[in-house]
Amino acid sequence: MNSARLVRIIGTYGVVIALAALVLFGFLRYDRFLGLFNVMSVLRYNSMFALVALGMCFVIMTGGIDLSVGSVAALGSVASALASPHGIVAGLAAGVGAGLAAGLINALLVTRGNLMPFIATLATMLAASGSALLLADNQTVSVSYDSGFTAIGQGNFWIFPIPAVIALVAYVVGSVVLNYTSTGRTVLAIGGGEDASRLMGLRTDRVKFLVYVASGCLAGLAGVVLASQFGAGQPIEGVGWELFAIAAVVVGGTLLTGGSGSVLTTLAGVLLLGILFNVLNFENGMGWISLSAYWQSVIRGLFLLVVVLLQARLTARRETA
C-alpha cells in the first residue's frame, strides 16, 4: 500500500478506527462498560450533541460556521418547556419553531445581508441567549409531566432511547441529502468555491439559506430533547455546545475550509467525544484519576487542537502525494 492511499484511508476512516479502538479499550478495562445501561445512557445523552453537530456539519461544508447553535438549543429548551403543558406536539413545535426563527435570521443575514457567517451567527447567538433568559425569567423552567412531553427525552422505542432514534433518523436523512441529491452536491461545491459554483449556475444562495435554516431547526430540536430529558428548560445549558459540535465535525474529517465532509463520520466524531468522556468518568470511579467536569472543556480543546493539526498535515501530504 503506497503512502498516498494510506493517507487517504486515515483521513477518511481515522475517526472510525479511533472510535473502535476506544470502545475496545473500555471493554477490556471496565466492567459493564458495554452493559445495556451504560450504552443506552451514552446514546441518550449524546443525541442532543449529535443533532447540533449534524447541522454544523452542513454549515461547515459550505465554508461557513454557526456559532449560535448552543444558544438556540437553550432557547428551544425554554420555549418547549413553556409549551409542554399543552402536549407533546405543542412542546415539539415550540422548540423547533424557536430554532427555525433563529435559522431564518442567520440565513437572511448571510445570504441577503452578505454578512460573514461568523459575525451573523455571533449576533444571533447573543440574541438567542438573551431571549432564552428573558423567556425563562433567568431561571430554569419546569416541564409538564402530565402531558407526556417528557417521553421525547426519557422514553424508549423498544430498548433504544427515543432521542437516539430521533438522531439516527436525522443522520440517515442528512446522509441521503448529502450523497444522493443535487442540494448535497451544491453544498460541497459551495465549500470548494462559491464564486465558481455561482458561475456554473448553481443556486448557491438558496442552498446556503436552507443549510442555515436546517442548522437552526436541528438546534431547536436538540433543545426539545434537552428539556424533555432533564425535565426543565435551561436557558444557560447550551454554553459551549457550538464548540462540541465543531470539534465533532472536525474530528469526523470535515475540513473547516469547506468543500469536503461526511455526515456519518460526523456521527462517529460525536460518539468518539462522548465515549471519551464516558471513559474519563469510569476512571474517576476507579479512583485512578480525579477530574472535575471543568476539565472536560480543557480536554475537548486540546483534543480539537490535535485533530486540526493532524488534519492539516494529512491534507498537505495528500496534496503533495
Side-chain angles (χ1 to χ4, degrees), residues 20-313:
L22 186 61
V23 170
L24 179 61
F25 170 81
F27 171 70
L28 295 176
R29 181 166 174 78
Y30 313 115
D31 293 333
R32 298 183 295 277
F33 180 77
L34 290 183
L36 184 63
F37 177 79
N38 187 58
V39 172
M40 294 304 138
S41 296
V42 168
L43 293 177
R44 186 184 302 276
Y45 179 69
N46 285 283
S47 61
M48 299 178 293
F49 304 120
L51 290 169
V52 171
L54 177 59
M56 185 71 76
C57 177
F58 276 88
V59 171
I60 290 179
M61 282 191 290
T62 65
I65 197 77
D66 188 352
L67 298 178
S68 68
V69 291
S71 296
V72 172
L75 177 60
S77 76
V78 171
S80 62
L82 290 172
S84 64
H86 303 289
I88 294 177
V89 174
L92 185 62
V96 176
L100 173 62
L104 284 170
I105 293 172
N106 283 333
L108 289 171
L109 290 175
V110 172
T111 61
R112 299 291 186 267
N114 293 319
L115 293 181
M116 293 178 58
F118 181 89
I119 300 299
T121 59
L122 178 61
T124 305
M125 177 187 77
L126 296 173
S129 178
S131 299
L133 289 168
L134 286 171
L135 280 176
D137 196 21
N138 200 24
Q139 59 187 350
T140 58
V141 180
S142 297
V143 305
S144 171
Y145 284 85
D146 299 327
S147 64
F149 174 74
T150 54
I152 298 175
Q154 300 176 14
N156 291 325
F157 180 77
W158 192 38
I159 63 171
F160 299 103
I162 289 178
V165 175
I166 293 172
L168 178 61
V169 171
Y171 270 81
V172 170
V173 173
S175 182
V176 170
V177 169
L178 179 63
N179 295 302
Y180 300 104
T181 68
S182 59
T183 298
R185 291 189 290 272
T186 303
V187 165
L188 296 175
I190 293 170
E194 185 173 351
D195 291 337
S197 300
R198 189 175 289 110
L199 290 173
M200 291 170 59
L202 298 178
R203 304 176 70 176
T204 56
D205 284 345
R206 174 179 175 272
V207 170
K208 286 172 63 178
F209 188 95
L210 292 175
V211 163
Y212 282 95
V213 168
S215 180
C217 288
L218 287 167
L221 180 57
V224 174
V225 173
L226 170 65
S228 59
Q229 187 172 144
F230 293 98
Q234 304 179 51
I236 61 172
E237 177 61 29
V239 175
W241 282 27
E242 64 280 354
L243 301 180
F244 185 100
I246 293 170
V249 171
V250 174
V251 167
T254 298
L255 297 178
L256 279 172
T257 52
S260 175
S262 167
V263 166
L264 296 182
T265 55
T266 294
L267 179 58
V270 172
L271 293 174
L272 179 63
L273 291 175
I275 293 174
L276 175 63
F277 297 126
N278 186 239
V279 165
L280 292 176
N281 288 334
F282 269 92
E283 288 292 335
N284 276 336
M286 294 180 67
W288 288 96
I289 59 175
S290 180
L291 294 178
S292 68
Y294 302 113
W295 276 102
Q296 291 191 7
S297 295
V298 176
I299 295 170
R300 186 179 301 148
L302 293 174
F303 192 75
L304 177 60
L305 177 62
V306 170
V307 169
V308 170
L309 291 174
L310 287 175
Q311 188 183 80
R313 292 286 299 274

